[in-house]
Amino acid sequence: MAQIIDGRALAAKFRGEIAAKVQSFTRRAGFPPGLAVVLVGEDPASQIYVRSKEKACREVGFYSKVHCLPQETTQSELLELVESLNTDPRIHGILVQLPVPDQIDSKAVINSIDPAKDVDGFHPVNMGRLVTGQPGLVPCTPRGIMELLKSTGIEIAGKNALVIGRSNIVGKPVAALLLAANATVTVAHSKTVGLPALARSADILVVAVGRKELVKGDWIKPGAVVIDVGMNRVEGKLYGDVAFQEAAQKAAFITPVPGGVGPMTIAMLLANTLDAAEAIIRG
Ligand code: NAD
């Protein structure tokens, strides 16, 4: 039976460490790190995410400001707000909650954020730094996944890692991080042929697809580490992308849903905001 990787406990440990660092930052700088979260429209899931991000910010002592814009906001109105946040000295991190309504081009919005304040790590400058091994802001969920892997104590170098999903938010950046950690990385996606066989050769399996229990127990290599990023709400209940009970019979370590990757994503947003604030005051 697999050992459960407790994302809630690990995230709480990070939040405690960050709160202590925020105190020291605030003493030195004379002001706290500041995060601005921008929410356009009334998507219920986004509203929940934004509320929990704001609560987490308060708890560690950040200055936090949420901008709620109406559904019909135009692209130029949103870009204007981002521009004002780029130059606001109280703000060190800017996060525009995705998805944005159809009239707004999310790429244009991401590209308008100052890369130094891009705490989601989605700006092409930060993505480029990640792929070329230069210091920059790393997307929160992938950074959290690497911390979850690290917490198991397993050696990543030389391992076969399979990432299922190739989104800019999770799949691509986590593949880059695993490669930087010297894993042999395969990225699978909706057009991949023979996914179960690929999964069976993976020592590390990261699944970020968004399909309830896509990965079955007999896809898991005995002794593998399984990181389930999926969040699929079906009839009010949350399911991962991995059939947890079956997979836990084969894996050495596995993340639960909920309580695995999710809490680490918010903790890493706090870590990124603190890192951004430190870099900005260093100049
Ligand atoms: P996305 O929709 O942008 O990408 C999904 C990827 O899965 C695509 O690359 C697609 O090619 C691939 N895919 C689709 N069907 C497939 C199949 N049958 N076989 C193999 N690959 C397939 O999704 P995303 O934004 O990366 O999110 C993925 C999941 O992770 C969602 O459930 C999302 O809610 C969740 N998520 C969770 C967190 C968290 O903090 N826990 C953060 C981000 C995303």
Side-chain angles (χ1 to χ4, degrees):
M1 188 69 186
Q3 216 170 303
I4 311 286
I5 310 175
D6 186 345
R8 278 200 191 107
L10 190 62
K13 174 178 154 275
F14 271 94
R15 287 199 308 271
E17 288 169 9
I18 291 165
K21 289 180 189 160
V22 168
Q23 282 195 358
S24 127
F25 176 97
T26 308
R27 263 197 309 274
R28 277 181 285 123
F31 50 82
L35 176 69
V37 178
V38 182
L39 174 63
V40 188
E42 271 131 43
D43 178 59
S46 293
Q47 286 176 332
I48 294 172
Y49 296 146
V50 166
R51 266 203 298 276
S52 46
K53 286 169 186 174
E54 193 190 12
K55 180 166 169 274
C57 280
R58 294 249 169 77
E59 282 170 3
V60 295
F62 285 174
Y63 167 70
S64 115
K65 177 93 181 134
V66 178
H67 297 262
C68 294
L69 304 183
Q71 179 75 24
E72 60 276 9
T73 302
T74 64
Q75 181 164 315
S76 61
E77 284 167 338
L78 180 55
L79 293 182
E80 214 173 286
L81 172 61
V82 171
E83 196 41 55
S84 74
L85 296 170
N86 280 341
T87 54
D88 185 338
R90 291 168 305 176
I91 296 300
H92 308 96
I94 303 169
L95 182 155
V96 179
Q97 185 66 44
L98 300 177
V100 284
D102 291 347
Q103 74 274 17
I104 299 172
D105 172 12
S106 62
K107 287 198 180 79
V109 176
I110 290 168
N111 293 357
S112 73
I113 298 172
D114 178 349
K117 297 188 177 185
D118 167 40
V119 285
D120 254 342
F122 298 158
H123 192 288
V125 166
N126 283 316
M127 284 288 191
R129 286 177 180 149
L130 173 59
V131 173
T132 54
Q134 300 178 54
L137 290 163
V138 174
C140 303
T141 301
R143 186 174 174 183
I145 291 170
M146 295 310 285
E147 292 296 345
L148 289 163
L149 286 173
K150 208 160 109 189
S151 77
T152 67
I154 63 138
E155 174 82 276
I156 296 176
K159 294 283 162 58
N160 284 337
L162 175 67
V163 178
I164 312 182
R166 58 173 160 186
S167 71
N168 290 339
I169 294 173
V170 188
K172 283 180 200 162
V174 86
L177 288 167
L178 286 163
L179 189 60
N182 296 316
T184 302
V185 184
T186 305
V187 182
H189 47 79
S190 54
K191 301 285 191 289
T192 296
V193 176
L195 192 53
L198 277 177
R200 280 183 205 115
S201 68
D203 306 302
I204 298 169
L205 181 60
V206 178
V207 192
V209 172
R211 294 265 174 97
K212 179 191 162 195
E213 299 182 346
L214 170 81
V215 173
K216 311 297 176 207
D218 66 357
W219 295 25
I220 307 294
K221 178 177 176 178
V225 183
V226 178
I227 306 287
D228 187 353
V229 187
M231 289 203 301
N232 308 289
R233 200 168 285 282
V234 180
E235 289 164 5
K237 194 172 179 289
L238 201 58
Y239 295 87
D241 287 348
V242 177
F244 180 86
Q245 294 301 342
E246 298 173 12
Q249 302 298 322
K250 304 282 281 295
F253 295 92
I254 188 166
T255 58
V257 176
V261 174
M264 284 302 288
T265 295
I266 297 198
M268 295 301 103
L269 171 66
L270 302 174
N272 274 355
T273 305
L274 179 62
D275 289 351
E278 288 283 9
I280 289 169
I281 63 160
R282 267 200 311 272

